[in-house]
Amino acid sequence: MRSRESFLVLLAALLPIVLLSALCWRIADTELHNQLTTAAETAVSDADRFLDRIAAGLRERQGMIGASCDPETVHRLDRMTYESPLVRTVGLYDAGGRLYCTSRGPADLDISGQIGGGRRGGVIVRMGRSALMGTPSIIIDNSRDDGAGINAVADPALFDELAAPLAFAEGAALQVMLGDGTLLRETGQPVSALGAAPISLTRQSRKFDLKATVMVPGSSVWVLFRSDLALFGMAGIILSGALVWVTTRRVTDRQFLSRGLKAALRRRELEVHYHPLIDIQNDRCVGAEALIRWRHPARGLVRPDLFIPIAEESELIIPVTRWLMNRVRDDFEGVELPREFHISINLAPVQFRDTVIVDDIRAIFSGRNLSPAMLVLEATERFPIDDAGRKVIDALRTMGPGIALDDFGTGHSGLAYLQKFHGDYLKIDASFVQAIGTDAVTRTVVDSIINLARDLDMEIIAEGVETVGQLEYLRKRGVPYAQGFLFAQPLPIAEFEIYRRTNPTPVAHCLPTTADVPVAAVSPA
Ligand code: C2E
Ligand code: CA
Ligand code: CA
């Protein structure tokens, strides 16, 4: 296998694995991000839900602020400790910061430090050491503008028990923090156990000044990636195997064709078929295009578009064309040919790189029945009009063959290319001809190509004429020549000679019509 082919097979093997790995990484990354988001949002919504319920209870009891601490007041405060399982005590304090009444009974405690912050009016949440319980607690205050208020003291340990647990396969840490940086809740792994560069995600509460941060070790995305790869890896291996199989087949197919073509030249498996060229203004067959055929012993007739590109790549096209030209010369040796008779020969772009083709034509056709002047050499728009190309064209012209631009309209070259080309014939590609009568835009393109060719003094050959409608359209616009299945399929020499001599052509007297006639109805046998 050559290095280009080996590279293709290697690419086929690696591409699915590389793409699948990239896909698995992306899935793992998204998966981790989603898990972190869900955990942080759940923690925020748990905190919001618990605190909101307590805050709502305090707002409901706003009217109690300043009330005397009688049994009824104590009872009402105590009811709140049942409403929320987090709440341990509820108390009323006066504008001076003295807690005078609690859910446990009357009290007399200075909690001015605990209320702190100087903020008065509305609900605020803070972490502090409860004066009544003496332990770190969550304190939710609802104070009036004068400083008196009602507050609830909640147990952070209970908060953690009642909230949704942190669901992570790999060790993660969760911290719920108040705006002042104090920790409301901490669960999962200790942050110090997460390694040097943990991945973290934070969500902010919209109701309270708090946020939840979830952290996992930096390696977590790798762990997910590995498990995703284990899941999809088999698909990647199968895909890679299938691609290697297809590529190897294609590569060996090309090698098989390339090697086989060399042998075909020796074994006389190549044939030439002649596709009649019709003068459609005078209904006469005035020549033919020589088209190569490969009658493969095992594969049957191999289409030229399968092996010609391979022959072009390997420059095998040079001996193939040489063989074809010898065959063409021999086929017409000793045959009486009218003066205007032409045989078209297709040349590949590589054949315009040096003058080998000039020498070949001279050696094969000079002084023969089919002289060089009776040839038309077809080049496609892939032919490079550089110095070397120009030199070959000029040398060819001195021997007399006509030059045609084949498949015009399918390449990307425009008017500038056409002006530099200096051809005698312009072949309108079959795709444009076959759209006549079906597509108004393409019809306009056909008309423009006809006008362009006239302006540049080039004769037009319309390719791929299949219906009488197309023929009449071209005829009316003064197109001189056409080829196509309407007249004939490419024919072996014996059949072509019969066809050529039975003038006029089978469609010579067709009346102008817009109806399309099926090919089979007018093709000669
Ligand atoms: P091309 O030069 O454009 O040749 C015309 C192709 O169109 C031929 O196919 C011909 O059979 C087909 N054709 C002609 N009339 C019609 C029609 O009315 N309808 C349809 N659908 N097709 C039509 P073929 O013989 O298979 O040749 C394919 C291509 O192979 C040729 O295209 C040419 O580029 C290349 N080729 C053939 N022989 C040679 C050769 O000796 N040398 C080089 N370099 N290329 C060749
Ligand atoms: Ca051609
Ligand atoms: Ca063509």
Side-chain angles (χ1 to χ4, degrees), residues 244-297:
V244 167
W245 186 74
V246 170
T247 317
T248 313
R249 251 194 84 108
R250 271 195 71 101
V251 165
T252 48
D253 220 38
R254 284 177 78 86
Q255 287 176 337
F256 169 79
L257 283 175
S258 169
R259 251 182 267 128
L261 193 56
K262 274 185 213 152
L265 272 169
R266 286 195 313 272
R267 290 196 214 123
R268 298 169 187 272
E269 286 167 12
L270 299 180
E271 294 175 12
V272 181
H273 284 194
Y274 296 91
H275 199 210
L277 174 74
I278 311 297
D279 169 352
I280 57 173
Q281 300 300 332
N282 300 296
D283 302 316
R284 283 185 314 155
C285 171
V286 289
E289 179 176 359
L291 294 164
I292 200 141
R293 300 284 177 265
W294 180 5
R295 199 167 294 280
H296 193 278

Side-chain angles (χ1 to χ4, degrees), residues 399-437:
M399 288 191 291
I403 309 287
L405 185 59
D406 199 3
D407 304 337
F408 186 72
T410 55
H412 301 291
S413 54
L415 184 61
Y417 182 91
L418 208 54
Q419 279 170 328
K420 275 198 279 174
F421 185 76
H422 292 310
D424 306 289
Y425 301 91
L426 194 144
K427 296 188 82 172
I428 308 178
D429 189 66
S431 57
F432 296 108
V433 173
Q434 285 162 8
I436 291 173

Side-chain angles (χ1 to χ4, degrees), residues 315-362:
E315 300 205 0
L316 206 60
I317 194 70
I318 294 163
V320 166
T321 309
R322 193 175 290 141
W323 174 87
L324 174 125
M325 293 193 297
N326 275 296
R327 175 87 263 150
V328 169
R329 179 203 56 203
D330 294 349
D331 280 347
F332 291 97
E333 201 68 2
V335 177
E336 196 185 323
L337 297 169
R339 249 168 29 93
E340 79 271 23
F341 188 80
H342 280 100
I343 288 288
S344 293
I345 289 168
N346 290 287
L347 296 183
V350 287
Q351 293 175 288
F352 291 93
R353 277 204 215 128
D354 54 44
T355 51
V356 170
I357 186 70
V358 183
D359 301 338
D360 281 352
I361 290 175
R362 187 177 295 116

Side-chain angles (χ1 to χ4, degrees), residues 30-40 167-170 214 216 224:
T30 314
E31 215 177 318
L32 185 69
H33 184 266
N34 289 347
Q35 283 185 20
L36 290 171
T37 308
T38 309
F168 258 99
E170 277 302 302
V214 186
V216 285
L224 284 172

